[in-house]
Amino acid sequence: MINLMLLLFLVIIAIAAIQAKDILNSIMYLGAYSLFIALVWTELNAVDVAFTEAAVGAGVSGVFMIGALTRMNRFESSRERTGLAKYGPLFIVMVTAAMLFYATVDMPDYNNPEAPIHNHVAPYYIQNSESDTGSVNIVTSILASYRGFDTLGETSVVFTAAISVILLLRRRDKNER
Amino acid sequence: MKDDVILRTVARCMVPFILLFAFYVQAHGEISPGGGFQAGVIFASAFILIALAVGKEKAREKFKKKISDITCSLGLMIYAGIGFITVLCGGLFLEYGKLPFGSAQAGNHLGMIGIELGVGLAVASVMVTIFFEIARKDDD
C-alpha cells in the first residue's frame, strides 16, 4: 500500500516538475522527487542507496541547480511548439513506455527468491564477504573490495567533473591577468 | 542574504552538528550505511551552508582555491596510491590483504578505511569547488 502511494507521489511530482514554467519551482519539485525516491529505496531495504539519494539528490544537487540558475533565465520561454516539434517527443516517449511495459512482463516478481539476481553472486557475497574482507557491511565490502576498480573509476569521474568545471568557469580569471 | 540574522544564527548552530555527522558517516562506513561518498557530500553541504550564511568570499578564505584544488586530486591519489602500495607489497592492485599491518584481516580493514578517506576527501573538495565556481556572480 505504502509503495503504491509513494510511486503515485513520484509520478505526480515528476509531472509537476515538467509542467512548471518557473525553473526554480522545477528544482524544488526535483528535490522533493529525490526525497520520495529515497523513501522508496528504504522501503526496498537499499539503505545505502537511499542515504546517497537523500544527500546528493535532495541536498547538494538542488543547491548546484539554483547556482546554475543565477547564470541563466529563470523562466521557460513561452514559445509555442507546433507539428512535429510538439508531437514527435510525445510519440517517442509513448513507444519507449510501451517497450518498457512489455519488458516488465518478463521480470521476476518483487521479493521472488527464485529470481536470477538472488541466485548468481548475491549468495556468495552474503556468505563470504565478512570472512573475505573483514567488513560487517556487505555493501561497503562490495564497493571497496570486490568492486574496488569500479569505485576508483567513480572517484575519477567525480574528479573529472571538478576539472571540467574549473576549466570552463575559471577561464575569465586568466584573461584579466 | 548574508545580512539575515536568522540564517546566520541557525547556520552557526547547525554547522558543527552537520560536520560531526559527516565524520560519523565517514568513520562508520564499514559497519553501517554510508561511507566516503555520502560523508563527503554532507561535509560539503555544511560548507555550503557557511557560504550562504556569511558570504562566499569569507567562506572561500576558510577553504582557499589552492588548497581545495590540491585536496581534489589528493583524494584520488590516496585511493590509487593505496592500490599501488598493495602492488609494491607483493599483491594485486587494490588487494588490501597484502598491506603491511600484520594480518590480512587488519590489512583489509585499514585499506578500506584508507580508500574511504580518499573518496570522502575527493568528493567533499570537488563539491565545494563546483559550488564556489558556479555561484561566483562577480564576473557576470
Side-chain angles (χ1 to χ4, degrees):
Chain A
M1 189 60 207
I2 185 130
N3 274 329
L4 216 62
M5 295 250 297
L6 285 173
L7 291 173
L8 193 70
F9 263 134
L10 280 181
V11 172
I12 292 171
I13 295 169
I15 291 172
I18 296 168
Q19 287 295 319
K21 288 283 177 222
D22 186 346
I23 298 175
L24 192 61
N25 286 3
S26 282
I27 293 170
M28 288 171 185
Y29 283 130
L30 287 178
Y33 185 91
S34 291
L35 210 58
F36 275 104
I37 208 157
L39 289 176
V40 173
W41 294 131
T42 319
E43 187 63 23
L44 293 169
N45 281 335
V47 192
D48 271 87
V49 185
F51 200 167
T52 316
E53 182 70 47
V56 179
V60 173
S61 71
V63 177
F64 286 168
M65 283 193 270
I66 291 172
L69 195 62
T70 58
R71 292 170 167 262
M72 56 183 254
N73 204 347
R74 182 171 154 182
F75 292 95
E76 219 173 284
S77 71
S78 53
R79 191 166 51 87
E80 271 294 316
R81 294 169 193 278
T82 50
L84 191 67
K86 191 171 183 183
Y87 295 108
L90 185 70
F91 176 73
I92 293 171
V93 167
M94 288 298 204
V95 171
T96 315
M99 288 197 294
L100 286 175
F101 275 117
Y102 178 68
T104 52
V105 177
D106 285 346
M107 275 168 68
D109 289 337
Y110 176 55
N111 273 350
N112 181 6
E114 303 291 317
I117 191 167
H118 298 312
N119 290 315
H120 183 46
V121 286
Y124 177 84
Y125 287 147
I126 292 168
Q127 278 163 13
N128 300 327
S129 74
E130 200 180 341
S131 57
D132 277 357
T133 66
S135 170
V136 192
N137 186 357
I138 298 173
V139 177
T140 305
S141 70
I142 291 172
L143 274 180
S145 190
Y146 291 115
R147 303 278 168 88
F149 282 12
D150 288 2
T151 312
L152 180 59
E154 178 198 284
T155 314
S156 335
V157 167
V158 170
F159 177 65
T160 314
I163 298 282
S164 322
V165 167
I166 289 170
L167 286 177
L168 282 172
L169 297 178
R170 262 191 209 162
R171 218 181 330 174
R172 191 149 315 181
D173 288 359
K174 273 228 173 102
N175 293 348
E176 281 163 11
R177 234 182 274 147
Chain B
M1 193 145 46
K2 58 183 143 181
D3 298 324
D4 195 325
V5 175
I6 297 172
L7 180 67
R8 239 182 321 156
T9 316
V10 169
R12 204 163 282 168
C13 294
M14 289 306 293
V15 162
F17 293 105
I18 300 177
L19 288 178
L20 192 67
F21 184 56
F23 286 125
Y24 173 83
V25 171
Q26 173 82 57
H28 287 242
E30 269 201 302
I31 51 173
S32 65
F37 196 86
Q38 291 91 331
V41 173
I42 295 168
F43 191 90
S45 69
F47 220 85
I48 290 169
L49 186 59
I50 296 176
L52 291 177
V54 304
K56 276 168 297 200
E57 292 76 23
K58 258 189 178 165
R60 202 53 168 147
E61 278 168 28
K62 297 257 191 325
F63 199 11
K64 285 204 176 58
K65 215 183 251 180
K66 270 182 191 162
I67 298 173
S68 72
D69 286 0
I70 291 172
T71 50
C72 275
S73 29
L74 194 68
L76 188 60
M77 270 172 66
I78 290 175
Y79 199 138
I82 287 175
F84 282 116
I85 291 170
T86 59
V87 172
L88 290 181
C89 295
L92 300 169
F93 189 66
L94 289 176
E95 190 185 352
Y96 314 116
K98 290 285 198 293
L99 286 172
F101 292 116
S103 64
Q105 197 83 355
N108 263 317
H109 201 73
L110 291 166
M112 272 156 79
I113 288 175
I115 65 152
E116 292 276 3
L117 267 178
V119 172
L121 189 65
V123 169
S125 43
V126 164
M127 294 290 169
V128 170
T129 308
I130 293 179
F131 171 73
F132 278 117
E133 294 299 329
I134 285 179
R136 220 162 32 118
K137 263 185 99 179
D138 44 309
D139 57 352
D140 286 343

